[in-house]
């Protein structure tokens, strides 16, 4: 017989309150192809409060219960429309000094008006909420998402009204089971970091669309269309007007609500490259629904130690970058992304590593237009709970959401499944499955990871390499390991059968600090490291690219020396990007002299 507790109070005695907010969970399976669609923005000023004890969930603030069953007024611990406001998209950390180091749940709310204009379905899109999001609409919990850097989509049709209140509880609490885990080398920003939008859809709508060059080809297109809703639709159309090309795509039923079809066709294409960032207008139509996108076509493959773009061996002159800015933190805007890419071009880069998590979806779209190749990454960073199946499911979903989001972006040539992980059996199982998943999801791009040096045998040797197309290598000779001779020994000891990208090297330097080549933390020493590194790297035949660490300084609470003050200062520019350090010009000259053609 169950015990009856006569003085039980739900909000203070229920320590499993959070479980009711873990379902429905929205994942890659719920994503909608939204490029070229009309979207209505809910960005702007939202009311906000920190909620350290998670009482919006514990006490069900979202129910807005102001009176009891007898009509008597109740005390409440919130004042949604009386709270301060902060900007969405944005991070709370940079918008009010009291929030700077805050970690935990934060409650966002606003109201909006909706009127139906003939649509059959309304989708709420959140570009990213760090790290998890619980979403409420009109006093009801409607969904949950985890993974702070990828988008999620919720069908709000059953809940939306003419007058609406939306509440989003963002939670950036670090947990050992998450991806990333509790220990990173970047700032743990929190908030609704990308746009919140409404998408109106007809009864039948295009849920997904893929188009690309067939692997190994330069003139055969292949792709697929998935349509949801009315399953009586027999075909979809893919049109590229500039090529006078219209492709009929027969659709076959997948389940009660989905139909899909694949296609191949020849096309006389001008291939995309950094020197020729050619994009075509592509339109997909199914019944009354249409999506538009600007898409480029290029091939990427590996043969031996070489990487081939459009059949030509290429050297990837790159730089790593965080999604970060002084005023906006992780919510860097379009102008800041363009500024970063412009700086990379000034460095003579044709390639960027977007570390260590998926950046704003604008980044790949802008790279398509500006002519930069990209490495995109999920935050399987340092040490995770590699034996936990829920952790793996989180990582795989973040990878799937990233691939689904950016699979039509020609600039993206490499999916990375992680960074600097220990070569243990459980990690090998975890990350090899991710690599295989990436190959399955997208067989036409390369898969890599940023691996560590085998310091025992002093060689490039990580068991994960057998599952990768390109080996990423992080090495800090001249900095964490000050003996440059070991770098030469490492290169001589290694005989990789795949191309290697040196994904990290560098040294901290406080902007404006100078000294001798023996004084670490100065621009002088950083310049010395870059000269030594590039002189050797340029002579190693199996190295086919570099992405030194890093384009500009960025916040991290673990860096507190006299040269750092809460920043990783390995940037080639200061955090505000107003000062170019001496090493900037070393790398710029190296890339100019190196060129982009691989031997």
């Amino acid at each position: 017989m169950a015990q009856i507790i006569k003085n039980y109070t739900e909000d203070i005695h229920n320590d499993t309150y959070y479980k009711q907010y873990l379902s429905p969970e929205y994942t890659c399976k719920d994503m909608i192809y939204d490029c070229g669609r009309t979207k209505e923005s809910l960005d702007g000023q939202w009311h906000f409060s920190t909620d350290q004890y998670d009482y919006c969930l514990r006490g069900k603030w979202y129910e807005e219960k102001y009176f009891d069953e007898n009509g008597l007024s109740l005390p409440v611990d919130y004042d949604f429309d009386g709270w301060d406001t902060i900007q969405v998209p944005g991070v709370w950390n940079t918008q009010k000094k009291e929030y700077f180091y805050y970690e935990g749940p934060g409650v966002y709310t606003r109201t909006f008006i909706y009127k139906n204009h003939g649509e059959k379905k309304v989708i709420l899109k959140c570009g990213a909420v760090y790290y998890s999001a619980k979403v409420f609409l009109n006093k009801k919990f409607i969904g949950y998402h985890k993974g702070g850097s990828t988008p999620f989509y919720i069908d709000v049709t059953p809940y939306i009204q003419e007058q609406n209140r939306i509440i989003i509880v963002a939670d950036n609490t670090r947990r050992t089971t998450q991806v990333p885990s509790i220990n990173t080398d970047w700032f743990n920003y929190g908030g609704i970091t990308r746009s919140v939008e409404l998408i109106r859809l007809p009864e039948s709508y295009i849920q997904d669309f893929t188009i690309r060059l067939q692997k190994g080809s330069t003139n055969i297109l292949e792709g697929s269309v998935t349509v949801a809703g009315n399953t009586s639709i027999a075909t979809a159309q893919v049109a590229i007007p500039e090529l006078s090309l219209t492709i009929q795509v027969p659709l076959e039923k997948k389940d009660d609500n989905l139909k899909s079809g694949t296609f191949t066709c020849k096309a006389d294409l001008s291939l995309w490259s950094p020197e020729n960032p050619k994009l075509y207008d592509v339109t997909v139509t199914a019944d009354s629904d249409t999506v538009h996108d600007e898409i480029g076509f290029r091939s990427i493959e590996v043969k031996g130690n070489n990487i081939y773009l459009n059949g030509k061996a290429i050297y990837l002159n790159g730089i790593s970058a965080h999604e970060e800015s002084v005023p906006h933190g992780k919510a860097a805007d379009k102008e800041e992304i363009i500024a970063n890419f412009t700086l990379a071009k000034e460095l003579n880069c044709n390639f960027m590593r977007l570390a260590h998590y998926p950046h704003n979806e604008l980044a790949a779209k802008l790279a398509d237009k500006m002519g930069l190749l990209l490495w995109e990454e999920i935050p399987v960073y340092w040490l995770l709970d590699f034996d936990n199946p829920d952790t793996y499911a989180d990582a795989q979903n973040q990878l799937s959401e990233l691939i689904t989001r950016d699979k039509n972006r020609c600039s993206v040539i490499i999916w990375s499944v992680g960074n600097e992980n220990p070569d243990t059996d459980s990690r090998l199982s975890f990350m090899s499955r991710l690599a295989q998943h990436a190959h399955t999801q997208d067989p036409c791009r390369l898969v890599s990871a940023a691996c560590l040096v085998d310091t025992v045998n002093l060689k490039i040797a990580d068991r994960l390499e057998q599952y990768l197309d390109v080996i990423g290598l992080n090495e800090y000779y001249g900095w964490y390991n000050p003996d440059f001779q070991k770098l030469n020994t490492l290169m001589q000891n290694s005989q990789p059968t795949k191309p290697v990208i040196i994904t990290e090297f560098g040294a901290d330097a406080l902007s404006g600090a100078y000294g001798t080549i023996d004084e670490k933390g100065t621009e002088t020493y950083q310049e010395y490291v870059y000269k030594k590194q590039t002189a050797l790297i340029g002579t190693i035949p199996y190295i086919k690219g570099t992405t030194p660490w890093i384009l500009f300084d960025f916040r991290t609470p673990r860096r507190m020396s006299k040269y750092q003050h809460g920043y990783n200062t390995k940037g080639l520019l200061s955090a505000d990007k107003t000062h170019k350090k001496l090493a900037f010009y070393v790398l710029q000259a190296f890339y100019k002299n190196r060129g982009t053609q691989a031997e």
Side-chain angles (χ1 to χ4, degrees):
M1 182 174 175
Q3 181 184 9
I4 298 175
I5 304 173
K6 297 181 180 179
N7 62 352
Y8 178 81
T9 303
E10 176 74 13
D11 66 318
I12 61 176
H13 295 139
N14 181 6
D15 63 354
T16 61
Y17 71 94
Y18 60 89
K19 291 184 178 179
Q20 63 189 296
Y21 303 110
L22 301 181
S23 178
E25 181 180 355
Y26 289 86
T27 67
C28 61
K29 296 178 182 178
D30 303 291
M31 295 179 73
I32 304 293
Y33 199 83
D34 65 333
C35 293
R37 290 190 184 278
T38 298
K39 307 183 192 76
E40 294 161 86
S41 174
L42 296 182
D43 292 349
Q45 293 293 310
W46 288 48
H47 293 283
F48 173 79
S49 177
T50 58
D51 185 18
Q52 190 172 11
Y53 290 173
D54 216 10
Y55 251 80
C56 185
L57 305 187
R58 288 180 183 272
K60 299 185 178 180
W61 292 352
Y62 55 87
E63 291 184 347
E64 298 189 72
K65 191 174 181 181
Y66 300 113
F67 300 94
D68 69 8
E69 59 274 11
N70 296 315
L72 300 175
S73 65
L74 294 169
V76 295
D77 296 319
Y78 55 89
D79 183 7
F80 290 147
D81 296 326
W83 287 347
D84 288 344
T85 60
I86 62 174
Q87 179 68 28
V88 171
V91 297
W92 60 60
N93 314 80
T94 61
Q95 298 194 53
K96 193 174 181 180
K97 64 180 181 180
E98 291 85 350
Y99 304 153
F100 187 72
Y101 282 114
Y102 178 71
E103 294 186 355
V107 183
Y108 290 79
T109 184
R110 64 159 290 171
T111 58
F112 65 93
I113 296 170
Y114 164 80
K115 293 184 178 181
N116 187 282
H117 293 277
E119 65 276 2
K120 299 299 183 182
K121 190 178 288 290
V122 183
I123 302 295
L124 175 74
K125 176 188 178 182
C126 294
V129 178
Y130 204 88
Y131 172 80
S132 68
K134 282 93 173 175
V135 184
F136 304 84
L137 187 61
N138 299 326
K139 305 181 183 181
K140 292 182 173 60
F141 171 62
I142 62 172
Y144 164 66
H145 180 264
K146 62 182 176 181
S149 301
T150 44
F152 61 95
Y153 300 74
I154 300 177
D155 181 356
V156 297
T157 312
Y159 311 102
I160 200 164
Q161 302 168 7
E162 185 169 338
Q163 301 288 334
N164 298 272
R165 177 179 295 283
I166 183 172
I167 297 171
I168 298 177
V169 178
D171 189 351
N172 70 333
T173 303
R174 290 168 296 132
R175 296 181 172 91
T176 57
T177 57
Q178 292 182 168
V179 183
S181 188
I182 59 174
N183 184 23
T184 68
D185 191 19
W186 64 86
F187 199 93
N188 186 36
Y189 293 108
I192 303 175
T193 62
R194 299 184 193 142
S195 290
V196 180
E197 298 166 308
L198 292 178
I199 305 171
R200 302 175 191 243
L201 297 173
E203 183 177 1
S204 302
Y205 59 93
I206 298 157
Q207 184 184 63
D208 197 17
F209 166 61
T210 305
I211 190 167
R212 61 196 177 201
L213 275 177
Q214 195 174 79
K215 190 172 183 177
S217 170
T218 57
N219 67 345
I220 299 177
L221 296 175
E222 65 177 16
S224 63
V225 180
T226 299
V227 176
N230 181 2
T231 56
S232 65
I233 300 172
T235 60
Q237 294 80 37
V238 177
I240 307 178
E242 187 175 344
L243 300 176
S244 301
L245 186 64
T246 300
I247 308 162
Q248 300 296 324
V249 185
L251 301 174
E252 296 183 358
K253 191 171 182 179
K254 291 181 67 177
D255 60 32
D256 290 340
N257 199 45
L258 290 177
K259 297 185 82 172
S260 66
T262 60
F263 63 88
T264 60
C265 70
K266 286 189 175 182
D268 184 14
L269 297 163
S270 176
L271 297 182
W272 184 97
S273 69
E275 299 76 26
N276 178 47
K278 170 64 179 176
L279 302 177
Y280 291 92
D281 289 327
V282 180
T283 301
V284 187
T285 304
D287 198 19
S288 62
D289 193 31
T290 300
V291 295
H292 303 273
D293 208 346
E294 293 181 282
I295 298 175
F297 302 101
R298 54 97 194 101
S299 65
I300 191 75
E301 57 187 333
V302 163
K303 296 178 183 177
N305 288 128
N306 278 312
I307 301 169
Y308 291 87
L309 178 70
N310 300 329
K312 296 180 180 178
I314 187 171
Y315 195 93
L316 300 174
N317 296 327
I319 190 69
S320 294
H322 264 295
E323 183 178 42
E324 162 101 8
S325 78
V326 172
H328 299 128
K330 187 178 167 60
D333 61 25
K334 180 179 180 180
E335 289 70 27
E336 289 169 321
I337 297 168
I338 291 172
N340 293 343
F341 287 177
T342 301
L343 286 165
K345 289 245 176 201
E346 188 179 344
L347 269 172
N348 296 314
C349 291
N350 60 1
F351 180 56
M352 287 188 76
R353 179 188 178 206
L354 304 186
H356 283 295
Y357 39 76
H359 289 208
N360 194 313
E361 63 191 87
L362 283 173
K365 292 179 180 179
L366 289 168
D368 281 1
K369 293 181 178 181
M370 295 177 68
L372 275 170
L373 297 160
L374 296 180
W375 160 305
E376 293 195 332
E377 189 163 293
I378 59 170
V380 178
Y381 184 85
W382 287 357
L383 187 65
L384 299 186
D385 188 356
F386 289 119
D387 292 316
N388 187 328
D390 291 336
T391 303
Y392 178 79
D394 186 359
Q396 180 174 294
N397 184 63
Q398 290 187 49
L399 179 61
S400 296
E401 289 178 339
L402 173 60
I403 292 174
T404 300
R405 190 193 74 178
D406 287 351
K407 62 188 174 182
N408 287 337
R409 305 278 73 85
C410 53
S411 55
V412 181
I413 58 169
I414 296 174
W415 305 120
S416 170
V417 296
N419 177 80
E420 293 187 350
N421 317 101
D423 192 0
T424 63
D425 291 344
S426 57
R427 173 266 194 170
L428 179 63
S429 172
F430 189 105
M431 293 185 68
S432 63
R433 283 181 285 155
L434 286 176
Q436 290 167 330
H437 181 71
H439 280 127
T440 300
Q441 292 289 104
D442 184 359
C444 293
R445 282 185 177 84
L446 309 177
V447 175
S448 189
C451 301
L452 289 167
V453 172
D454 176 349
T455 56
V456 175
N457 299 297
L458 209 58
K459 63 189 299 187
I460 301 171
D462 187 313
R463 289 181 293 168
L464 183 64
E465 292 167 8
Q466 63 184 301
Y467 299 96
L468 307 177
D469 301 305
V470 175
I471 300 167
L473 183 71
N474 292 358
E475 53 86 4
Y476 281 95
Y477 291 98
W479 188 245
Y480 298 118
N481 192 320
D483 187 353
F484 274 113
Q485 182 54 43
K486 287 185 178 180
L487 178 58
N488 184 64
T489 304
L490 166 72
M491 297 303 177
Q492 299 307 315
N493 286 349
S494 303
Q495 296 180 325
T497 58
K498 300 175 180 180
V500 173
I501 298 174
I502 304 298
T503 36
E504 292 183 30
F505 71 81
D508 280 272
L510 178 65
S511 291
Y514 305 98
T516 71
I517 60 171
D518 300 305
E519 293 183 76
K520 288 184 170 64
T522 65
E523 287 194 40
T524 313
Y525 187 80
Q526 185 189 50
E527 178 189 40
Y528 171 69
V529 168
Y530 268 74
K531 286 180 177 178
K532 296 280 284 187
Q533 285 272 353
T534 55
L536 179 58
I537 286 170
T539 67
I540 307 302
Y542 56 75
I543 294 176
K544 299 303 177 183
T546 55
T547 55
W549 197 255
I550 187 169
L551 182 59
F552 51 86
D553 297 344
F554 61 94
R555 291 186 181 104
T556 170
R558 67 185 292 268
R559 305 281 180 173
M560 299 305 294
S561 79
K562 67 178 181 179
Y563 291 114
Q564 296 167 320
H565 307 291
Y567 279 82
N568 186 315
T569 56
K570 293 184 183 68
L572 296 179
L573 294 101
S574 57
D576 63 6
K577 304 164 197 169
T578 61
H579 175 75
K580 295 182 177 73
K581 302 178 191 178
L582 297 176
F584 181 98
Y585 302 102
V586 176
L587 190 65
Q588 183 184 57
F590 174 66
Y591 285 159
K592 182 179 180 179
N593 295 331
R594 181 67 190 77
T596 61
Q597 297 303 306
E599 287 85 17

